[in-house]
């Protein structure tokens, strides 16, 4: 079985081993110390050196997205959302669900976000921008410089769902003045699913601390921010995932730092794209994150390719979902896959397409 899906991804053997080992009780000083070190290490990968500004919880990524909406957006805020696919739409749904004020920049699936889209929202009193920096449904990587300077110009806070771009593309909260970042365990970090992490700028921390209690008790960021100072969480944390994280941070260090890791993901993405185009597959031409490559099909049902790869070859790729389900599939480049795996994937893709086309005629 080979996994080319965005997450949970194929884990490294060292990560899988972690669950065989002993672990500390989570209310012990040993655990607190270990968790604090992990959070410091992860913060630095996010480009955030503000102390005690990274919290984590037992939840999937969407839990943290919803928590951000509940905790960070006040009555007075006017939000803007980049909605270029299912994950952008999720922010809209969450904001609507919680009765927040927002507008959305609605992008077609293959439309590249540019300054033209932002123009009408300049000087309109917007206070926050929500964006999934990589819209995982399409793989589009939005231009962080564009979004960052738009927010700076307009005095807006920038809230980023970096779940799929983190550790696939360069990321830096300080550099781009990002106020909030959401990541989760099962994508670029290649850990088990079940942990979400939220990283705050100083001013976002202050805003949250001064805000009234959110509608959810479990997801009250104030409690997490208070407890993280001593390496703790209000409720049982995903203990094993933190041990896996410790292992992964060691791995990055051994590899020669996060840039080496990014280079590996990039090399896999570029190799796959070159090979796919050479084999006659179509890759969309909007800017892509290195996390995945979408393949576009005109004349054949992409969902059938996804199931045939799974059933006949034991290879998992992502379907595209929504109105793109029959048109596109997605191949991920994170996790423990190799160049040889990619060669096999291309070969099987070609065979599968031929087979499906053959059957049709
Ligand atoms: C995977 C992903 C999520 C989180 O999905 P969950 O199923 O809740 O973990 C959120 N945003 C983006 C951009 C993602 O890729």
């Amino acid at each position: 079985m080979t996994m080319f899906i965005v997450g949970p991804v194929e884990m490294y053997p060292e990560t899988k081993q972690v669950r065989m080992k002993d672990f500390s009780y989570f209310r012990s000083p040993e655990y607190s110390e270990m968790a604090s070190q992990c959070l410091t290490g992860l913060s630095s990968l996010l480009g955030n050196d503000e102390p005690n500004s990274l919290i984590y919880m037992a939840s999937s990524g969407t839990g943290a997205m919803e928590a951000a909406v509940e905790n960070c957006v006040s009555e007075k805020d006017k939000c803007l959302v980049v909605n270029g696919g299912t994950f952008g739409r999720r922010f809209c749904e969450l904001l609507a669900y919680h009765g927040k004020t927002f507008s959305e920049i609605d992008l077609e699936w293959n439309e590249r976000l540019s300054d033209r889209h932002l123009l009408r929202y300049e000087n309109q009193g917007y206070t926050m921008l929500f964006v999934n920096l990589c819209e995982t449904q399409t793989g589009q990587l939005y231009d962080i410089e564009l979004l960052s300077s738009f927010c700076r110009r307009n005095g807006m806070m920038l809230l980023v769902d970096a779940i799929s771009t983190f550790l696939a593309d360069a990321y830096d909260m300080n550099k781009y003045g990002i106020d909030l970042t959401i990541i989760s365990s099962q994508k670029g970090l290649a850990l088990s699913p079940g942990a979400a992490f939220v990283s705050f700028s100083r001013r976002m921390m202050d805003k949250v601390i001064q805000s009234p209690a959110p509608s959810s008790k479990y997801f009250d960021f104030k409690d997490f921010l208070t407890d993280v100072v001593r390496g703790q969480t209000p409720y049982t944390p995903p203990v094993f995932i933190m041990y896996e994280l410790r292992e992964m941070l060691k791995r990055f260090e051994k590899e020669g730092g996060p840039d080496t890791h990014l280079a590996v993901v990039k090399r896999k993405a570029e190799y796959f794209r070159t090979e796919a185009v050479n084999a006659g597959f179509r890759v969309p031409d909007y800017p892509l994150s290195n996390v995945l490559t979408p393949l576009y099909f005109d004349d054949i049902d992409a969902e059938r390719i996804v199931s045939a790869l799974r059933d006949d070859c034991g290879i998992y790729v992502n379907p595209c979902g929504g109105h793109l389900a029959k048109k596109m599939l997605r191949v991920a480049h994170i996790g423990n896959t190799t160049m040889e795996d990619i060669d096999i994937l291309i070969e099987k893709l070609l065979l599968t397409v031929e087979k499906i086309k053959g059957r049709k005629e």
Side-chain angles (χ1 to χ4, degrees):
M1 192 172 85
T2 324
M3 304 280 254
F4 289 99
I5 57 173
V6 193
V9 300
E10 186 84 33
M11 283 161 62
Y12 295 93
E14 299 83 357
T15 316
K16 290 182 185 169
Q17 290 279 318
V18 167
R19 287 188 188 229
M20 311 285 286
K21 296 180 194 150
D22 287 337
F23 61 95
S24 304
Y25 169 48
F26 75 92
R27 293 296 184 204
S28 67
E30 293 80 23
Y31 180 83
S32 300
E33 173 66 23
M34 188 276 300
S36 291
Q37 280 179 9
C38 285
L39 293 174
T40 306
L42 191 54
S43 267
S44 114
L45 295 184
L46 286 162
N48 187 353
D49 51 19
E50 186 65 42
N52 303 316
S53 63
L54 178 63
I55 61 172
Y56 72 109
M57 57 201 68
S59 146
S60 89
T62 306
M65 289 168 76
E66 180 157 28
V69 165
E70 288 181 83
N71 282 271
C72 301
V73 186
S74 74
E75 303 268 283
K76 290 190 211 118
D77 284 309
K78 198 172 150 191
C79 306
L80 185 60
V81 185
V82 179
N83 180 0
T86 45
F87 291 96
R89 192 171 70 227
R90 191 168 298 176
F91 266 140
C92 295
E93 286 167 356
L94 291 168
L95 285 158
Y97 191 90
H98 291 281
K100 309 294 184 185
T101 308
F102 72 98
S103 308
E104 53 190 288
I105 298 173
D106 225 330
L107 297 175
E108 285 298 313
W109 74 270
N110 57 355
E111 188 179 351
R112 174 193 193 130
L113 178 76
S114 72
D115 46 6
R116 171 174 78 77
H117 296 104
L118 300 174
L119 212 57
R120 60 183 279 215
Y121 300 102
E122 301 269 4
N123 305 312
Q124 297 295 314
Y126 286 92
T127 58
M128 288 184 164
L129 179 72
F130 280 86
V131 64
N132 319 85
L133 196 54
C134 165
E135 167 52 66
T136 318
Q137 191 195 13
T138 63
Q140 178 166 180
L141 180 67
Y142 300 127
D143 182 346
I144 185 63
E145 303 223 4
L146 176 79
L147 296 168
S148 165
S149 60
F150 170 76
C151 286
R152 285 195 164 123
R153 261 200 315 279
N154 287 280
M156 294 165 70
M157 285 183 144
L158 177 52
L159 295 88
V160 178
D161 165 359
I163 293 178
S164 58
T165 183
F166 179 59
L167 292 173
D169 312 291
Y171 191 79
D172 193 330
M173 286 181 70
N174 279 339
K175 182 172 174 193
Y176 296 110
I178 297 167
D179 290 291
L180 187 105
T181 300
I182 300 164
I183 55 174
S184 65
S185 51
Q186 80 276 23
K187 301 227 166 131
L189 280 169
L191 313 177
S192 302
F197 301 83
V198 184
S199 178
F200 300 80
S201 67
R202 181 72 248 171
R203 63 175 186 169
M204 184 60 92
M205 258 203 281
D206 292 343
K207 181 180 202 293
V208 165
I209 289 165
Q210 287 153 21
S211 296
S215 51
S216 160
K217 174 71 183 141
Y218 181 80
F219 283 118
D220 190 338
F221 280 170
K222 283 193 274 303
D223 295 337
F224 285 88
L225 284 166
T226 305
D227 283 3
V228 80
V229 175
R230 54 192 176 90
Q232 282 291 311
T233 46
Y235 314 106
T236 310
V239 173
F240 279 115
I241 299 177
M242 291 306 273
Y243 283 95
E244 292 174 1
L245 174 59
R246 179 174 68 171
E247 190 59 40
M248 191 54 66
L249 291 169
K250 274 191 218 154
R251 180 187 183 89
F252 293 148
E253 218 166 277
K254 255 192 274 165
E255 283 178 346
D259 289 346
T260 314
H261 189 81
L262 285 179
V264 170
V265 177
K266 184 167 192 245
R267 190 142 31 87
K268 287 197 274 186
E270 285 175 350
Y271 182 67
F272 176 77
R273 286 166 197 171
T274 308
E275 294 298 303
V277 169
N278 287 345
F281 292 107
R282 262 179 73 188
V283 177
D285 56 10
Y286 49 79
L288 288 175
S289 161
N290 288 322
V291 72
L292 67 87
T293 304
L295 296 182
Y296 184 84
F297 298 88
D298 263 336
D299 50 345
I300 159 172
D301 180 351
E303 268 178 332
R304 284 183 66 191
I305 306 176
V306 174
S307 7
L309 281 175
R310 180 193 62 216
D311 297 342
D312 304 344
C313 318
I315 294 176
Y316 284 77
V317 298
N318 284 104
C320 226
H323 68 293
L324 289 169
K326 293 194 184 308
K327 286 283 161 207
M328 223 154 67
L329 59 80
R330 298 167 298 158
V331 173
H333 308 300
I334 48 178
N336 189 22
T337 52
T338 62
M339 297 299 186
E340 291 73 39
D341 294 331
I342 296 176
D343 288 336
I344 296 169
L345 172 64
I346 296 276
E347 182 193 319
K348 299 294 183 193
L349 266 169
L350 279 169
L351 280 172
T352 305
V353 166
E354 266 172 44
K355 250 205 235 168
I356 295 177
K357 279 190 175 164
R359 270 184 220 146
K360 223 168 57 175
E361 277 146 22

